[in-house]
Amino acid sequence: MNPTIQTLLLIQGVLVGLLTLAGLLVWVERRLLALWQDRLGPNRCGPGGILIFVADGIKMFTKEDWIPPGSDKPVFVMAPAIIVVTALIAFTIIPLAPGVSILDLNIGILFFLALSSMGIYSTVLGGWASNNKYSLLGGLRMSAQMFSYEVFMGLSLMGVVILSGSLNLHDIVKAQSGMWFVVPQFLGFLIFLFAGLAETHRLPFDMPEAESELIAGYHTEYSSMKFGMFFVGEYVGVTLISAIIVTLFFGGWQGPLLPPVVWFFLKTMCFILFFILLRAAIPRPRFDQLLAWGWKFVLPVALLNLIATGAIALARGN
Amino acid sequence: MNARIEETDPPPRDFGRNGGSLINHLKERFGPDAVTEQSTRDEFPTVWIQRAEVPAILRYLKHKARPRFPMLYDLTAIDERSRANRESVPAGDFTVVYHLMSLEPFREIRIKVRLAENGLSIPSITRLWPTASWYEREVWDMFGIRFDGHPHLRRLLMPTTWKGHPLRKDHPARATESGRFSMPTERHIEEEEALRFKPEEWGMERQSDEADFMFLNIGPQHPGTHGVIRLVLQLDGEEIVDIVPEIGFHHRGAEKMGERQSWHTYIPYTDRIDYLGGVMNNLPYLMAVEKLAGIIVPDRAKVIRVMLCELFRISSHLVWYGTYAQDVGQMSPVFYMFNDRERVLGIIEAVCGARMHPNWFRIGGVAADLPDGWDRLVNDFLSYFPPKLDEYDSMVMANSLLKARTRGIGAYNTEEAIEWGVTGAGLRATGMEWDLRKQRPYSGYDQFEFDIPIAHNGDCYDRALVRIEEMRQSLRIIRQCVDNMPGGPFKSDHPLTTPPLKDRTMHDIETLITHFLNVSWGPVIPAGEGTGCIEGTKGLYSYYLTSEKNTIPYRVRIRTASFPHMQIVPFISRGHTVPDLLAIIGATDFVLADIDR
């Protein structure tokens, strides 16, 4: 087959697959939370309520798309697009199976880090452009949160890079054929998990939207499909972070018996469910506590981890 | 608990074992004419003083008297202009009433000042008690009495655009008595403009040397405030510089309604004061009415009342527990706690026929006897709930994130609590072992074994600890109720009991007439003043009733716990951040209807 058509088909597949998954995750999350919280959750639309995302979609598309007076209109409109677009683009480098990814970049990790930083602009700009004090506070929190978390997000991945000797995600997956990197890089994994949670701003790191304090934070003023974009962006972000964790620390598509892509999907789902469980379980720390913890504790640990990994790699002479 | 409950209505209150010595002392110090005693129906120590001497005498009582009265428990007024029956009440158009309290030893005194209609002003005591600020504003709002020297004498409960003073006797109580209401566009705009917050009016700066302050409206509609209240925050970044709470959005004029409902038909209104406390609100009102009427409530009714009050205490605390966890961002507990509350409400519904506002206590007893099988329901709950409480402890209170969010936040000490009029769990969390159910047992509480839980740091976490332990103590009390429920009538056979017992109604004409009158225009309660006070779910609730030997009260004063608890919030929030404020609000456990009445 023509390689261009092949790539186009792959893009189509990933796009449709991801957006459907994001939609289904809405249902999965709500049903799971309901299960853990002794209630039913959405169970009316379709078998077990699974079509709730279709109903949600119709609702979002048909609601009044309101732009608050006094807002910075172009920025206000652009902000929700950024989060979805960056998260989707970042997905292009994820190896779904041996040799299967939309892009095979030799700077894979850097590309991911760059795009995840771009995604933050969505919340910061959305908060700024809304002309609402709650949104502004949410946007401010997000930018401060990211300043601190981006730093060790990158650092936590460097251990993996040292061990595999490559920034290319395909090479990193192949380098884990003997042992998953979660074993030698357990600290790196934990730190990336925290940073990833902060990145997706889900509970316990949802200070930018903190509904009991800031109503809905940066997206307070958003309605209709613009709000829907933030919503979808959040789930795509969760999927992306889970996929990256699986690729970098849990051997990506590797696994016995089942086809690689199934293994990849199963592992990713485990982390998505873990994120949902976390949301059901714990309260939200205060914003300054989170920052202090990030700078004073996680950052030094990330540095130590990097130094130790480097020293061991040097001693082994590779 | 003894099989039979001794008569436990509060003994006549005086100034303690040394009787009227405090009044003699006041007379010595301020001259024999300065202080006049008034006798009240419930023998509540009440004195009249002159307007000019208010600051001096109150200062003396707060700082030097023995015992000292460090708590300003209540401050209100009465419009005396339409009184028909003025026995033992000096002439005067308006009366300002101060209610002071000494907690250790427990003493109370009510101080009254009469004012003439052409000179409605009195010195403010906000310098003496910061908590007087809201009470004085309320009296200004409701009666138009000026307080000289008050820093911000503005309306508190009514909108700033309101004309007139609602609790004056000449102000209409019903919409049909005032003109037709209309809201043309111009007026709408004016009303909206009147709601705009102007920092200058509160002496607040818009910027400091380093920063421009942001003024943020939390409320009137906000998911974190649990009701309609507006907190205007002066913020430096996320740090709170100052807060101006604005209340009154939930004001329904419960006190005014008391002046037009019959003694009996007012009971449902009390249900809705602390709307999480249900029948617990009936109790202080009925205690006051029963004191005025001289009704002695039978034992069975007392124990039934205690049991339902404690069930409602658990139900109210469960709502608080879940929302408290939710306010600091924990999503799940609220669902578990509302499920458990559902079980409590199930029992309450089985007994009373309604859930949140059962309106089930009556003058002289309760509405009906307990239904068959009530004890099985209660026993089921008693065995179900304690393990759940332990589970919630490990889920919520043991969570280190929650501890980090609430320890050391919003702390005050015992002196500050008393100074601001804080009662209930907020007071006990500062280390003071003070519970009205022990200090002056009512409704037979002295026959029950239970402990007073306390904590020591007075912060949000400790307030939570106290409330959770209170639920366990409530379970203990309920178990004793089940095991020792006395037999006998559930209603007194006093003629003023409403509705009266019916067994002889069809047999003799006298009983029939009494019955007919009591259910048609309602009971006529003897003249005098009566006060009922209970340890409610949120602190001390009291009803101060003035009767003129009529079918309706002359004045109903409702003192609630949430009112001072809300007033202390700015004081304990300064220097904290916005998320801390939500934790403080969550731990305070207020009910908006309880603040605004």
Side-chain angles (χ1 to χ4, degrees):
Chain A
M1 212 192 302
N2 185 330
T4 319
I5 294 177
Q6 214 171 3
T7 314
L8 280 176
L9 277 179
L10 189 60
I11 291 176
Q12 189 68 22
V14 169
L15 195 62
V16 171
L18 255 183
L19 291 180
T20 316
L21 185 65
L24 283 176
L25 279 182
V26 177
W27 173 76
V28 170
E29 167 148 35
R30 292 180 61 182
R31 289 288 283 180
L32 274 180
L33 285 178
L35 178 74
W36 289 320
Q37 291 166 350
D38 296 348
R39 52 195 180 89
L40 288 173
N43 64 349
R44 299 282 130 167
C45 193
I50 197 163
L51 291 179
I52 185 77
F53 76 97
V54 180
D56 271 348
I58 295 171
K59 181 189 77 175
M60 296 228 185
F61 273 110
T62 49
K63 274 205 164 182
E64 185 189 357
D65 189 0
W66 189 70
I67 296 178
S71 63
D72 188 341
K73 200 174 163 190
V75 182
F76 185 83
V77 174
M78 200 173 61
I82 297 176
I83 192 169
V84 181
V85 170
T86 52
L88 287 178
I89 294 180
F91 241 96
T92 52
I93 55 161
I94 305 282
L96 304 172
V100 180
S101 67
I102 298 170
L103 284 177
D104 186 3
L105 283 181
N106 56 1
I107 51 153
I109 288 186
L110 284 183
F111 187 73
F112 159 73
L113 288 175
L115 278 167
S116 73
S117 306
M118 288 286 291
I120 308 309
Y121 279 100
S122 171
T123 47
V124 177
L125 292 177
W128 170 254
S130 297
N131 189 29
N132 175 311
K133 290 171 183 173
Y134 289 111
S135 306
L136 181 64
L137 281 177
L140 280 177
R141 285 181 180 193
M142 192 67 201
S143 50
Q145 189 167 316
M146 275 312 112
F147 265 120
S148 32
Y149 275 75
E150 288 285 310
V151 176
F152 51 80
M153 183 177 218
L155 283 177
S156 64
L157 297 184
M158 289 309 117
V160 171
V161 175
I162 291 174
L163 290 180
S164 63
S166 170
L167 288 168
N168 184 310
L169 295 184
H170 285 283
D171 295 346
I172 292 175
V173 174
K174 280 180 207 139
Q176 296 178 70
S177 53
M179 179 173 40
W180 291 355
F181 282 158
V182 67
V183 181
Q185 278 299 306
F186 189 67
L187 269 179
F189 159 67
L190 283 183
I191 294 166
F192 183 76
L193 187 66
F194 286 125
L197 271 174
E199 183 84 36
T200 52
H201 47 84
R202 284 175 59 85
L203 236 154
F205 297 125
D206 68 340
M207 290 76 155
E209 41 184 296
E211 87 281 343
S212 61
E213 301 154 21
L214 300 183
I215 322 276
Y218 62 90
H219 59 56
T220 304
E221 294 286 1
Y222 281 90
S223 56
S224 181
M225 205 48 216
K226 293 202 188 67
F227 170 75
M229 298 272 262
F230 277 121
F231 209 58
V232 171
E234 180 177 322
Y235 284 104
V236 176
V238 170
T239 317
L240 174 68
I241 293 292
S242 307
I244 291 279
I245 289 175
V246 167
T247 309
L248 297 182
F249 295 101
F250 287 85
W253 39 259
Q254 295 185 358
L257 298 175
L258 296 170
V261 79
V262 174
W263 270 114
F264 179 77
F265 178 75
L266 286 179
K267 289 177 185 174
T268 308
M269 278 313 288
C270 283
F271 280 95
I272 294 174
L273 296 188
F274 173 71
F275 279 12
I276 294 173
L277 177 59
L278 215 53
R279 177 168 176 214
I282 52 181
R284 178 191 307 127
R286 207 171 56 223
F287 169 64
D288 55 302
Q289 289 168 337
L290 183 67
L291 292 194
W293 193 69
W295 285 104
K296 290 176 186 165
F297 177 70
V298 183
L299 182 63
V301 171
L303 282 171
L304 278 179
N305 179 47
L306 183 59
I307 292 168
T309 314
I312 292 168
L314 261 184
R316 281 204 193 149
N318 49 357
Chain B
M1 206 180 79
N2 297 347
R4 193 192 126 62
I5 295 186
E6 302 301 318
E7 179 43 48
T8 55
D9 268 334
R13 276 168 282 166
D14 53 18
F15 293 97
R17 255 156 244 108
N18 26 19
S21 76
L22 180 71
I23 293 181
N24 294 335
H25 216 77
L26 282 175
K27 281 182 177 165
E28 274 169 35
R29 204 179 154 92
F30 295 97
D33 302 330
V35 183
T36 324
E37 275 178 80
Q38 181 200 329
S39 67
T40 65
R41 185 96 188 156
D42 58 353
E43 300 183 32
F44 198 102
T46 307
V47 295
W48 289 81
I49 63 172
Q50 301 295 328
R51 169 166 68 179
E53 300 195 80
V54 167
I57 291 181
L58 292 185
R59 186 177 301 278
Y60 173 78
L61 285 169
K62 184 182 178 190
H63 293 298
K64 300 222 179 68
R66 270 183 199 200
R68 298 191 305 111
F69 289 85
M71 184 187 277
L72 176 70
Y73 179 71
D74 193 10
L75 196 173
T76 186
I78 303 171
D79 180 354
E80 309 272 16
R81 290 175 300 172
S82 358
R83 295 250 335 204
N85 181 348
R86 278 182 175 270
E87 54 168 317
S88 78
V89 179
D93 297 324
F94 286 86
T95 306
V96 176
V97 185
Y98 301 87
H99 182 163
L100 307 188
M101 203 179 258
S102 154
L103 298 181
E104 282 177 334
F106 181 40
R107 300 277 183 274
E108 288 173 289
I109 183 169
R110 186 168 280 143
I111 294 161
K112 294 183 169 184
V113 183
R114 61 172 176 273
L115 298 174
E117 200 171 354
N118 52 11
L120 283 183
S121 71
I122 189 167
S124 165
I125 54 162
T126 43
R127 288 217 194 108
L128 203 50
W129 274 288
T131 191
S133 173
W134 276 18
Y135 288 112
E136 291 183 350
R137 282 175 64 191
E138 188 190 350
V139 171
W140 156 246
D141 194 359
M142 293 294 150
F143 294 92
I145 297 171
R146 299 205 139 269
F147 288 84
D148 301 330
H150 190 291
H152 302 290
L153 194 63
R154 302 155 52 92
R155 286 193 183 271
L156 183 72
L157 297 174
M158 306 304 286
T160 48
T161 52
W162 191 264
K163 304 272 189 307
H165 299 284
L167 279 181
R168 287 190 174 193
K169 289 287 178 186
D170 47 16
H171 193 282
R174 293 171 200 267
T176 46
E177 295 165 16
S178 51
R180 187 166 170 271
F181 179 81
S182 67
M183 180 72 91
T185 317
E186 311 84 68
R187 171 128 182 255
H188 191 142
I189 294 170
E190 271 170 41
E191 294 279 346
E192 282 203 334
E193 189 54 36
L195 282 172
R196 188 185 296 278
F197 181 75
K198 300 181 188 69
E200 293 76 18
E201 287 177 359
W202 296 90
M204 291 169 138
E205 299 289 334
R206 282 184 188 266
Q207 64 253 328
S208 71
D209 297 339
E210 299 100 47
D212 284 355
F213 296 128
M214 176 158 106
F215 291 90
L216 181 69
N217 273 311
I218 301 262
Q221 305 295 339
H222 189 284
T225 55
H226 310 301
V228 275
I229 183 174
R230 181 194 193 194
L231 299 164
V232 185
L233 271 52
Q234 185 185 23
L235 291 177
D236 176 4
E238 283 224 22
E239 189 183 312
I240 295 168
V241 181
D242 206 351
I243 302 179
V244 178
E246 194 177 303
I247 62 170
F249 295 98
H250 212 306
H251 178 65
R252 298 149 301 170
E255 293 181 9
K256 185 79 176 173
M257 286 189 225
E259 297 172 15
R260 60 159 225 228
Q261 296 300 122
S262 79
W263 296 95
H264 175 60
T265 58
Y266 188 60
I267 301 174
Y269 289 90
T270 63
D271 269 344
R272 287 148 179 84
I273 300 300
D274 163 18
Y275 55 65
L276 296 178
V279 294
M280 199 180 237
N281 294 284
N282 304 162
L283 189 54
Y285 170 69
L286 291 174
M287 278 161 57
V289 176
E290 283 155 9
K291 266 181 219 165
L292 283 170
I295 299 175
I296 292 177
V297 180
D299 291 344
R300 186 171 173 86
K302 280 183 181 172
V303 178
I304 294 175
R305 283 177 174 187
V306 165
M307 185 173 80
L308 279 156
C309 282
E310 295 305 323
L311 281 171
F312 261 111
R313 194 185 306 278
I314 293 175
S315 149
S316 168
H317 280 6
L318 279 173
V319 174
W320 158 80
Y321 201 176
T323 51
Y324 166 71
Q326 201 175 36
D327 280 345
V328 293
Q330 202 169 11
M331 190 188 179
S332 299
V334 70
F335 294 103
Y336 308 132
M337 282 139 194
F338 270 61
N339 275 349
D340 287 350
R341 174 172 177 256
E342 200 56 37
R343 291 169 188 262
V344 183
L345 291 179
I347 300 173
I348 289 167
E349 192 178 2
V351 174
C352 312
R355 290 150 50 87
M356 273 183 81
H357 307 304
N359 168 34
W360 199 63
F361 293 174
R362 295 287 183 271
I363 300 172
V366 293
D369 208 348
L370 294 169
D372 288 345
W374 65 275
D375 45 345
R376 192 176 46 80
L377 287 178
V378 179
N379 274 324
D380 285 351
F381 180 73
L382 285 174
S383 52
Y384 161 83
F385 192 50
K388 284 282 168 186
L389 268 179
D390 297 340
E391 189 185 325
Y392 300 153
D393 269 354
S394 59
M395 178 166 60
V396 181
M397 298 307 284
N399 187 304
S400 54
L401 276 177
L402 184 123
K403 286 182 185 167
R405 282 293 308 276
T406 52
R407 280 205 170 145
I409 304 297
Y412 48 75
N413 60 32
T414 310
E415 285 75 46
E416 286 163 342
I418 294 173
E419 183 83 21
W420 284 88
V422 173
T423 51
L427 178 64
R428 291 189 281 274
T430 65
M432 188 164 194
E433 200 176 318
W434 200 96
D435 189 316
L436 190 75
R437 292 174 293 175
K438 292 276 191 196
Q439 292 288 334
R440 189 177 65 213
Y442 52 88
S443 199
Y445 267 112
D446 52 343
Q447 303 296 316
F448 292 91
E449 279 174 11
F450 64 99
D451 298 323
I452 308 176
I454 58 166
H456 294 282
N457 302 314
D459 54 15
C460 291
Y461 188 76
D462 280 16
R463 266 167 256 161
L465 281 181
V466 169
R467 287 204 186 91
I468 291 159
E469 191 51 36
E470 274 180 18
M471 285 194 259
R472 294 203 170 89
Q473 298 302 328
S474 291
L475 288 174
R476 265 177 87 183
I477 297 174
I478 294 169
R479 181 168 299 287
Q480 294 171 54
C481 290
V482 179
D483 293 346
N484 302 287
M485 182 60 73
F490 59 88
K491 214 185 251 186
S492 166
D493 59 0
H494 192 283
L496 286 172
T497 299
T498 315
L501 286 174
K502 237 177 167 174
D503 44 356
R504 282 186 299 166
T505 314
M506 292 304 182
H507 302 290
D508 67 82
I509 188 68
E510 280 307 316
T511 327
L512 181 64
I513 290 174
T514 315
H515 187 279
F516 177 72
L517 291 181
N518 273 7
V519 294
S520 53
W521 66 39
V524 175
I525 300 294
E529 288 179 13
T531 309
C533 185
I534 64 155
E535 183 74 41
T537 57
K538 293 165 181 68
L540 294 186
Y541 300 168
S542 60
Y543 282 69
Y544 165 43
L545 307 179
T546 308
S547 171
E548 279 226 303
K549 200 169 193 307
N550 204 337
T551 52
I552 52 170
Y554 183 78
R555 169 92 172 97
V556 178
R557 166 62 183 171
I558 309 169
R559 191 275 185 190
T560 59
S562 301
F563 188 82
H565 291 177
M566 192 66 228
Q567 201 182 177
I568 197 177
V569 163
F571 171 72
I572 56 178
S573 304
R574 285 180 198 131
H576 290 309
T577 58
V578 180
D580 293 332
L581 174 68
L582 273 298
I584 289 172
I585 287 179
T588 302
D589 185 25
F590 58 82
V591 157
L592 261 303
D594 199 37
I595 299 179
D596 295 343
R597 286 155 281 131

